[in-house]
Amino acid sequence: MSLESTGILLVSFEVIQSIAPLIVFFTLFQILFLKLPLSQLIRLYTGLAFTAFGMILFLHGVNNGFLPAGTQIGEFFGESKKGFLIPIGFVLGLLATLAEPSVRVLCYQVEESSNGYIRSNLMLYTLSFAVAILAAISMAKIIYRIPFLYIIVPGYLFVLILLWLCDKDFVGIAFDAGGAVTGPMAVSFLMSMAVGVATAYEGADPVADGFGLIAMIALAPIIFVMLLGVYIRFNGGQKNVQ
């Protein structure tokens, strides 16, 4: 059996192992309480089958595409193009967030729930720029060997200050955005890139310096969305912010 086939089988087993308890739970709930008609059950189970199939394809693609690509890019720049690491981190952070499905879902939900008060494009660009800035800072952390605590602790202290200054409508959005940006695109690509940079960069520790990027990315939208909320609050709470 080829490595390709073995990889698909392993991913398939992991996906089935993950979603099987949910299917069992739903089936028990259907038997005991829901009593949904057969036509609706067929649609639901068909959707679950498509979900499992999509997860298998996605995870297999991540393992064979995004992770190796991110690692190779990180190792290349870590070895020979150190001066480009910070701008490359910025660009890749921006692009990964723009491509993140969960970010777009969040932005659409924010615009819909706020009746257009907070535009989806404004949220998308704010989150993308925020992740880009923190991805660039994470590259600087590796290059200049800045301790992780020197970044993350002041960052969350700043968040505590913003909690008192920010428009209340933006607080919940900011913290949910922190989870949305740490989706499969950012985690699979940016984290593998950071580990690749730390592996190739002379004097860097792949464990101490390569990790922590996802925590910084999660912090980025919290700060920037709250800063947007501070601007809105002290700018008179303008409606339909573009």
Side-chain angles (χ1 to χ4, degrees):
M1 185 177 294
S2 65
L3 290 176
E4 189 78 10
S5 301
T6 303
I8 294 177
L9 289 175
L10 287 174
V11 170
S12 300
F13 177 75
E14 290 174 358
V15 170
I16 293 172
Q17 192 177 37
S18 299
I19 67 172
L22 293 175
I23 296 175
V24 171
F25 178 80
F26 171 75
T27 303
L28 290 174
F29 219 73
Q30 160 66 14
I31 294 172
L32 297 175
F33 303 107
L34 294 178
K35 313 293 185 182
L36 296 175
L38 180 61
S39 60
Q40 190 169 353
L41 280 179
I42 292 173
R43 289 198 300 270
L44 285 170
Y45 282 112
T46 301
L48 288 170
F50 277 115
T51 300
F53 184 66
M55 289 176 65
I56 291 169
L57 291 179
F58 175 77
L59 291 175
H60 184 66
V62 165
N63 292 335
N64 291 274
F66 271 105
L67 291 177
T71 302
Q72 290 296 321
I73 291 173
E75 289 179 352
F76 171 77
F77 284 101
E79 289 175 352
S80 57
K81 304 289 183 181
K82 298 179 179 67
F84 292 96
L85 277 176
I86 295 176
I88 286 295
F90 180 91
V91 171
L92 291 179
L94 182 71
L95 296 178
T97 310
L98 286 172
E100 183 64 64
S102 58
V103 169
R104 293 185 175 270
V105 171
L106 174 74
C107 294
Y108 295 145
Q109 288 292 321
V110 167
E111 179 172 358
E112 182 179 347
S113 299
S114 65
N115 295 320
Y117 173 42
I118 307 169
R119 299 292 189 184
S120 61
N121 284 340
L122 174 68
M123 284 297 301
L124 178 63
Y125 297 140
T126 300
L127 297 179
S128 300
F129 183 75
V131 172
I133 291 291
L134 267 294
I137 292 175
S138 70
M139 294 298 108
K141 176 179 79 73
I142 297 173
I143 295 172
Y144 300 110
R145 307 299 307 278
I146 303 172
F148 176 66
L149 291 178
Y150 288 9
I151 299 174
I152 203 71
V153 172
Y156 276 103
L157 290 176
F158 186 46
V159 167
L160 292 176
I161 296 172
L162 291 175
L163 281 172
W164 298 98
L165 302 174
C166 177
D167 186 304
K168 63 180 179 61
D169 292 338
F170 286 82
V171 174
I173 296 171
F175 281 91
D176 279 350
V181 298
T182 54
M185 298 294 289
V187 172
S188 61
F189 192 76
L190 294 178
M191 185 174 69
S192 63
M193 177 186 167
V195 173
V197 170
T199 301
Y201 197 86
E202 185 178 354
D205 183 349
V207 175
D209 298 320
F211 292 91
L213 172 64
I214 303 306
M216 293 172 62
I217 289 176
L219 175 63
I222 298 175
I223 292 176
F224 279 75
V225 172
M226 282 190 176
L227 286 173
L228 179 62
V230 172
Y231 171 79
I232 297 300
R233 178 183 177 185
F234 291 98
N235 200 40
Q238 294 182 354
K239 300 290 184 183
N240 297 327
V241 182
Q242 301 294 330

